[in-house]
Amino acid sequence: MSETNKKIVLVVEDERPLLEAIKIKLESIGFDVVTATSPTQGINMLRDIPHIDAVWLDHYLSVSESGLDFLTEVKKSDIWKNIPVFAVTNTASADHKYSYLELGVTKYYVKADMRLEDIAKDIKEFLEQPTQ
Amino acid sequence: MKPPFRIRIGTKLAFFLFFAGIFPMAVFGFLYIRNEQEVTQNEIFNALVLLAESKEVRILEYFDDITARTVDFSSDGYIRDETKRLLNEGLDESKNALSKHLLVNKKPIDERLTGISILNKEGVVIASTDEKEIGKDESNDIYFKEGQTGSVLVRTDPWDVHFNVISPFVVAVPITDKDTHEFLAVIVNVFDPHKLEEILSANFITNENASLEAIVGNDMKTLHTYIVDHEKNVILHPIKKEIDPSHDIGVTTLPVRECLENGKEILGEYIDHSGATVLGSSMCIMEESMVLVVDIEKDVALLPARQAQTKFFGIISVLALLIAALSYFISRILTRPIKALEKSVEIVRAGNLQHRGFVVKTGDEIEELGHAFNAMTASLEERQKVLEEEKKKLAVLLENLPVGVFMMKAPEGTLVATNPKSLELLGQEKGFLQKPHAYADLQNLIHPMKEDGDPYPENELPITIALREGVLAERSDVVITRPNGEKVTLRVVGVPVKDASGTVIYGIAVFDDVTKEHEIDRAKTEFVSLASHQLRTPLSTINWYTEMLLAEDVGKITPDQRSYLDEIYRGNQRMVGLVNALLNVSRIETGTFATEIKAINLVDEVDAVLKESEPMIKEKKMTIIKECAADIPILHVDQKMVRIVFQNLISNALKYTPPEGRITVRVRREGDDHVYIEVSDTGYGIPKHQYGKIFTKLFRADNIVYKDTEGTGLGLYLVKLVVDQLNGKIWFFSEENKGTSFFITLPIS
């Protein structure tokens, strides 16, 4: 019962150690976590696993692909476009930040400046809001 | 260049002098001649009147004289007696005696007499000085008819001949009986008219004649004195005129008509019976119904005046010629230096600025003009030299400029000058821009585009802005396609060139290939972006795993483990700070710092930084004094930049001040357009000898480099970069071991 009540977060992050840490942290505060290391994989996850409640999205995912590609796909879809996306990246350039905000991310974080716990708590708080 | 019609100054001057000389002379001459003619005419009239009057007097005297003579004869006792006897007795003896008496005793008395006759009551000659006369019947003659009742003087008809005298004067007087006064006969004295003609003619000299001669000269041929009787026949004349006195020519000229019809004497000009225009005077001899006329042909009379006139005109003409010659020479003398100057002007105008005019030493304005002209030419030559040099310098400069230059004439934008680099940049052959291109043609040839391939809007091109709005404009995103298909990004600067009145006369487009720079810029941005990712990712890993260990997410840790993990965590945090600082430096230096202008309240930023620093403030037991004025304006700047300033200054103050020190932050308005920021501490201060290096990259002062190992030497460098970026000023005041104050002013707008 408790398993089904847990919210599911899709973490898209290519850096495995970070992905692992994020997974541990999110699970420790009560999320179910699914992971992907590329935009394609992320989209597949969205397709395969219904009811994903939120997405943790990194920017640099490989040499040729970025979180923007994934986000563009998500926002195109009527089913997925309302899923809150939290962009967590180390690329603090304003261009990137605007691109994400324009495409409709919920929040935008610079990894190195943030404690993992703070981001996790932000996501949790956001999802527990009554409107959600 | 010469005007179609012009009058040389010499000609003008000559004409002016000529007319100035001749005009008064002409006016004076005209008036003089007119006056002279009038005077002469008047004098002639006066002389004519006098002449006429004197002749009249003499004629009347003559008439009276011959009448008196005849009357005298009629009262001769012998004649009376012998006539009575002859009439009564009819004896030849008496006839002969009487005739003899007349011839011998009477006729010689008067030399004017040519004959004497005595007519009986029937008009028949009964006695005469000439026998042939005796017996003639003269009863029809007017002198017989009138002579019966009183003395009468007549000029006989032109065809009458008495005593071999043609048309003589005849005076007839009645002879009466001495006692009874009974009419007996008529004595007729015949006088030779030539005697009267002598009187009328100029054969005798009068004062009047002399004065007339003085006027009209010796030629008195046309002076006529003649008498016309009531039948308008000339009865006496001075022969000189070609009028045949034996013919009745019926003179009806003006003086004759005036006298005979109106009884008026005239003095004036008229046409005489021969058709000549004459000046004449008339006298009416009323008793005898005769007109005495004295006239002279006008042309002849006025000839001396005319001659004087002609002479005068001759003199005037000679004078005019003299004046003309004089004027010509004067004007030549005056205009020669001007002509010389004109020649010089022509030479200089033709481009020979080295030429100097020869200045004629006239000592007047013309000489001054000559000197001024030479001075002007010298100054022009000097200027031309300077201009040539400038031109050469500019040409060399333009030729070798490493940027493309187009110079266009305002307002239509016709291309007037280019340089080789411009052709190279456009990938065009020489000659492409040699003929002047209109602005529109040029655009069609070059096809400026935006980076996305759209045509560049004409009114956004810098050269358009410079030409039309007269302001400098710069764009770095003008893409053109070379003929070989290569696309080049140009940075174009449009500069207006204005004349003194501020009107745009030229537009200069300076352009350069910035394709590489654009690529480098992109590469730089890419690098910073990648570097920030690549450097931060491992740091994030360390961060988050240490964080989780410390949070005991994966099991309890011992106090020693915690203290070690804290060290790792802090060390990593410093590393993150260092990477952030380095990235900021790199962004600002490379110009890739993405600014995001927002309305910033400086006090909020100070508060935020102080809050971040709270752990350290508490740890070092620092006193913080915050003095922020109430009227600090909102700044429109990038928030990250303001943060960098406060974070670094406040963290430096905290780091380099011993515990329990004091830090003061002041923010206030400075004047109308600046804000003033001050961060002071009571710390170690900066060594004097290192003041100059304080804002250099990676510099750390001697006195703190051992006290604090965490400093990067980037903080103040970054602050300086940011303040410069915000067009502000930064300076400081420091004393070692007493403290340091940093001051910043930032423009409000």
Side-chain angles (χ1 to χ4, degrees):
Chain A
M1 198 57 192
S2 65
E3 287 291 312
T4 50
N5 285 340
K6 274 186 184 171
K7 307 243 163 152
I8 304 167
V9 178
L10 166 64
V11 180
V12 187
E13 165 69 70
D14 65 332
E15 191 75 16
R16 289 211 171 267
L18 282 181
L19 183 61
E20 200 59 32
I22 296 161
K23 188 170 187 279
I24 294 164
K25 193 70 195 177
L26 289 177
E27 281 173 350
S28 78
I29 62 166
F31 287 112
D32 267 345
V33 176
V34 286
T35 63
T37 54
S38 73
T40 321
Q41 209 182 346
I43 294 296
N44 289 340
M45 283 296 180
L46 282 177
R47 197 174 293 139
D48 297 347
I49 304 164
H51 312 306
I52 284 180
D53 296 289
V55 177
W56 173 300
L57 181 64
D58 184 25
H59 175 62
Y60 276 104
L61 293 174
S62 71
V63 182
S64 58
E65 288 175 307
S66 79
L68 285 172
D69 301 322
F70 173 81
L71 190 59
T72 311
E73 281 297 307
V74 170
K75 291 296 170 187
K76 266 196 238 166
S77 153
D78 285 343
I79 309 160
W80 303 330
K81 70 177 176 196
N82 290 322
I83 300 172
V85 177
F86 297 84
V88 188
T89 172
N90 264 328
T91 315
S93 96
D95 283 353
H96 289 150
K97 189 174 169 183
Y98 284 129
S99 305
Y100 278 99
L101 292 176
E102 265 173 37
L103 281 169
V105 293
T106 310
K107 275 205 161 183
Y108 183 92
Y109 303 96
V110 176
K111 263 183 217 165
D113 296 344
M114 298 298 295
R115 283 162 56 84
L116 181 58
E117 179 143 4
D118 292 342
I119 303 171
K121 276 181 181 164
D122 259 11
I123 297 171
K124 193 177 166 92
E125 273 171 27
F126 185 84
L127 291 179
E128 281 169 1
Q129 276 172 22
T131 47
Q132 285 296 308
Chain B
M1 294 302 274
K2 279 185 181 182
F5 176 75
R6 65 174 208 171
I7 303 170
R8 301 193 69 87
I9 195 165
T11 316
K12 278 186 198 169
L13 194 60
F15 270 105
F16 173 74
L17 287 172
F18 179 71
F19 283 114
I22 211 77
F23 184 72
M25 223 159 68
V27 170
F28 168 75
F30 174 74
L31 292 177
Y32 172 76
I33 284 167
R34 248 179 63 139
N35 188 45
E36 194 68 1
Q37 212 166 334
E38 222 161 88
V39 166
T40 309
Q41 203 163 315
N42 284 338
E43 280 177 358
I44 291 171
F45 282 139
N46 286 338
L48 287 175
V49 167
L50 283 172
L51 198 57
E53 277 175 350
S54 77
K55 301 278 177 188
E56 184 189 24
V57 168
R58 279 158 195 269
I59 289 162
L60 291 175
E61 269 175 11
Y62 175 82
F63 285 161
D64 285 349
D65 205 30
I66 58 171
T67 306
R69 174 75 65 205
T70 313
V71 171
D72 179 50
F73 284 5
S74 73
S75 55
D76 181 284
Y78 182 78
I79 292 171
R80 286 172 129 176
D81 293 344
E82 277 305 310
T83 303
K84 194 177 177 181
R85 190 182 300 168
L86 181 61
L87 289 171
N88 292 336
E89 297 165 13
L91 295 174
D92 280 347
E93 190 185 323
S94 292
K95 181 181 74 182
N96 291 335
L98 190 57
S99 293
K100 194 179 178 186
H101 174 74
L102 290 176
L103 181 70
V104 177
N105 298 322
K106 292 293 165 190
K107 187 173 171 267
I109 294 174
D110 196 325
E111 59 172 4
R112 296 169 294 196
L113 272 172
T114 54
I116 308 166
S117 292
I118 293 174
L119 283 66
N120 64 13
K121 285 177 187 166
E122 281 77 37
V124 178
V125 178
I126 51 168
S128 177
T129 50
D130 189 339
E131 276 183 16
K132 283 178 264 180
E133 291 289 316
I134 297 169
K136 279 188 182 172
D137 182 358
E138 292 176 7
S139 58
N140 286 327
D141 285 328
I142 187 146
Y143 57 80
F144 170 72
K145 288 174 186 162
E146 288 183 10
Q148 293 177 42
T149 51
S151 67
V152 67
L153 183 141
V154 292
R155 176 89 192 254
T156 53
D157 291 330
W159 51 86
D160 276 358
V161 177
H162 296 275
F163 304 102
N164 298 319
V165 177
I166 300 163
S167 185
F169 275 107
V170 173
V171 182
V173 177
I175 300 171
T176 53
D177 185 287
K178 219 172 5 179
D179 305 314
T180 59
H181 297 291
E182 179 196 353
F183 169 67
L184 297 176
V186 173
I187 181 166
V188 174
N189 279 0
V190 175
F191 295 90
D192 182 352
H194 288 97
K195 299 289 178 190
L196 185 58
E197 279 167 4
E198 270 169 29
I199 295 173
L200 292 180
S201 77
N203 290 351
F204 58 91
I205 291 173
T206 65
N207 286 336
E208 290 74 35
N209 241 356
S211 75
L212 190 61
E213 262 182 28
I215 301 161
V216 303
N218 295 323
D219 186 6
M220 298 294 281
K221 263 187 282 186
T222 62
L223 175 68
H224 310 129
T225 307
Y226 55 96
I227 294 172
V228 179
D229 70 3
H230 64 280
E231 288 175 330
K232 293 176 183 163
N233 293 324
V234 176
I235 53 166
L236 268 174
H237 66 93
I239 321 165
K240 286 187 180 175
K241 197 138 191 188
E242 291 152 3
I243 296 168
D244 187 355
S246 60
H247 289 95
D248 178 4
I249 56 156
V251 177
T252 55
T253 54
L254 182 73
V256 176
R257 288 198 315 268
E258 284 293 312
C259 183
L260 297 179
E261 290 162 20
N262 304 322
K264 275 184 188 166
E265 297 180 340
I266 67 137
L267 174 65
E269 182 183 319
Y270 56 88
I271 311 290
D272 76 356
H273 47 278
S274 70
T277 303
V278 296
L279 303 174
S281 171
S282 68
M283 290 290 155
C284 276
I285 303 170
M286 293 308 283
E287 291 90 345
E288 282 79 19
S289 286
M290 285 191 248
V291 189
L292 170 73
V293 179
V294 180
D295 61 24
I296 186 162
E297 267 187 28
K298 189 185 178 187
D299 285 347
V300 175
L302 292 178
L303 188 65
R306 288 250 165 75
Q307 276 167 346
Q309 200 176 322
T310 312
K311 205 191 276 177
F312 187 83
F313 276 129
I315 290 168
I316 295 259
S317 305
V318 170
L319 273 178
L321 276 176
L322 275 176
I323 290 172
L326 202 63
S327 307
Y328 174 73
F329 282 114
I330 290 175
S331 79
R332 276 235 356 198
I333 288 167
L334 285 180
T335 56
R336 203 173 46 208
I338 298 179
K339 272 189 187 159
L341 200 58
E342 190 193 357
K343 218 173 267 173
S344 295
V345 172
E346 277 302 314
I347 294 170
V348 172
R349 196 178 67 86
N352 181 4
L353 285 180
Q354 280 163 345
H355 173 81
R356 293 291 176 275
F358 173 70
V359 179
V360 183
K361 297 251 178 305
T362 53
D364 56 16
E365 291 91 333
I366 295 174
E367 185 183 338
E368 275 172 37
L369 187 63
H371 287 305
F373 169 74
N374 280 346
M376 188 187 76
T377 317
S379 137
L380 273 179
E381 188 189 1
E382 187 58 34
R383 276 180 204 202
Q384 202 196 28
K385 219 183 271 173
V386 173
L387 272 180
E388 289 288 330
E389 278 170 23
E390 283 300 314
K391 214 170 139 187
K392 234 173 254 173
K393 274 198 280 187
L394 270 180
V396 172
L397 184 71
L398 199 61
E399 202 65 16
N400 296 292
L401 268 182
V403 290
V405 176
F406 276 4
M407 187 184 261
M408 290 157 165
K409 196 159 170 46
E412 69 276 15
T414 313
L415 190 63
V416 290
T418 59
N419 67 343
K421 186 69 185 180
S422 63
L423 298 181
E424 188 191 317
L425 285 171
L426 297 175
Q428 295 287 356
E429 293 297 315
K430 203 176 173 185
F432 164 66
L433 294 172
Q434 269 179 359
K435 56 176 175 177
H437 279 290
Y439 189 41
D441 300 339
L442 203 60
Q443 278 204 73
N444 289 335
L445 284 166
I446 296 172
H447 282 305
M449 293 179 296
K450 286 269 194 187
E451 282 173 321
D452 56 13
D454 289 347
Y456 214 104
E458 191 195 333
N459 55 8
E460 284 179 23
L461 282 169
I463 187 62
T464 316
I465 295 167
L467 280 170
R468 295 194 187 151
E469 290 163 39
V471 291
L472 187 139
E474 178 176 347
R475 296 283 185 279
S476 300
D477 56 349
V478 183
V479 179
I480 57 130
T481 312
R482 288 180 175 162
N484 61 10
E486 191 183 350
K487 280 195 164 43
V488 183
T489 307
L490 298 178
R491 174 174 55 228
V492 183
V493 182
V495 194
V497 180
K498 297 177 184 179
D499 64 10
S501 69
T503 312
V504 180
I505 47 173
Y506 289 102
I508 299 178
V510 179
F511 52 96
D512 197 8
D513 184 354
V514 290
T515 317
K516 280 222 173 76
E517 279 94 325
H518 269 226
E519 278 164 13
I520 291 167
D521 273 352
R522 262 195 297 277
K524 271 191 215 161
T525 314
E526 201 73 2
F527 167 77
V528 173
S529 180
L530 261 173
S532 64
H533 181 82
Q534 298 300 349
L535 286 171
R536 280 161 159 177
T537 301
L539 293 177
S540 300
T541 312
I542 298 167
N543 229 14
W544 289 355
Y545 278 96
T546 317
E547 185 196 318
M548 283 196 289
L549 285 173
L550 284 168
E552 297 184 329
D553 285 353
V554 287
K556 289 260 176 210
I557 50 171
T558 67
D560 278 349
Q561 286 169 339
R562 176 172 294 277
S563 103
Y564 290 2
L565 283 170
D566 274 343
E567 282 303 323
I568 295 169
Y569 190 71
R570 254 209 312 279
N572 197 54
Q573 284 297 316
R574 272 177 54 201
M575 196 65 184
V576 170
L578 181 62
V579 168
N580 281 347
L582 270 173
L583 284 174
N584 279 337
V585 165
S586 163
R587 284 188 187 117
I588 293 176
E589 280 180 346
T590 58
T592 55
F593 192 96
T595 50
E596 187 184 349
I597 307 299
K598 271 203 243 172
I600 301 297
N601 182 343
L602 291 180
V603 184
D604 290 350
E605 298 307 309
V606 173
D607 286 343
V609 174
L610 286 177
K611 195 163 192 302
E612 279 173 14
S613 314
E614 212 159 305
M616 198 162 178
I617 294 167
K618 275 185 182 156
E619 196 189 310
K620 292 180 85 171
K621 293 179 181 159
M622 293 294 215
T623 310
I624 304 291
I625 300 168
K626 193 183 87 177
E627 292 177 6
C628 294
D631 62 343
I632 303 160
I634 300 291
L635 295 189
H636 292 271
V637 289
D638 182 79
Q639 190 181 22
K640 296 188 293 294
M641 288 192 171
V642 176
R643 274 286 168 92
I644 287 169
V645 172
F646 284 120
Q647 273 169 348
N648 282 286
L649 290 182
I650 291 173
S651 80
N652 276 359
L654 283 170
K655 262 189 256 173
Y656 307 122
T657 303
E660 299 181 26
R662 194 178 66 240
I663 292 169
T664 311
V665 182
R666 289 192 179 95
V667 183
R668 63 165 189 264
R669 198 184 178 111
E670 175 107 326
D672 285 342
D673 43 11
H674 283 83
V675 284
Y676 169 91
I677 297 163
E678 178 190 335
V679 178
S680 305
D681 61 47
T682 52
Y684 307 120
I686 302 159
K688 219 169 195 161
H689 69 277
Q690 290 183 319
Y691 280 3
K693 294 182 180 169
I694 198 79
F695 292 117
T696 50
K697 185 153 65 172
L698 300 171
F699 170 78
R700 304 201 69 216
D702 294 345
N703 58 341
I704 49 99
V705 73
Y706 303 110
K707 287 190 179 106
D708 173 84
T709 49
E710 291 187 9
T712 58
L714 286 175
L716 284 176
Y717 175 68
L718 201 52
V719 170
K720 174 84 166 89
L721 282 182
V722 166
V723 170
D724 285 350
Q725 202 82 27
L726 297 174
N727 295 320
K729 274 188 194 147
I730 180 163
W731 71 100
F732 66 92
F733 176 80
S734 183
E735 214 173 320
E736 247 183 300
N737 296 319
K738 285 207 171 162
T740 305
S741 298
F742 279 94
F743 311 98
I744 292 171
T745 54
L746 295 176
I748 291 171
S749 54

